[in-house]
Amino acid sequence: MGTIRTVDKDAFFDLHATLYYPLVNFGIRVCADADTASEATDLVFTTIWKNMKV
């Protein structure tokens, strides 16, 4: 996780590509609503992106 703390766009996009759909699928199992699961996953990645250090 060290690379995600600095602005490493490639690492962030790799993380997104690897985890987005598994996290959405997990969210669907938890809340039984695809839209809510997708929005929550989007929020997670948006928060990570905003908190990455320059």
Side-chain angles (χ1 to χ4, degrees):
M1 280 293 218
T3 58
I4 205 68
R5 296 293 291 163
T6 60
V7 177
D8 186 344
K9 292 179 183 178
D10 290 335
F12 176 80
F13 291 127
D14 287 345
L15 183 72
H16 184 273
T18 302
L19 295 178
Y20 184 79
Y21 288 108
L23 288 173
V24 170
N25 288 330
F26 175 76
I28 291 169
R29 288 193 306 271
V30 170
C31 69
D33 181 42
D35 288 335
T36 300
S38 180
E39 288 176 19
T41 304
D42 289 342
L43 182 59
V44 167
F45 282 104
T46 300
T47 301
I48 293 169
W49 181 257
K50 288 180 180 178
N51 289 310
M52 285 175 38
K53 296 184 188 244
V54 177

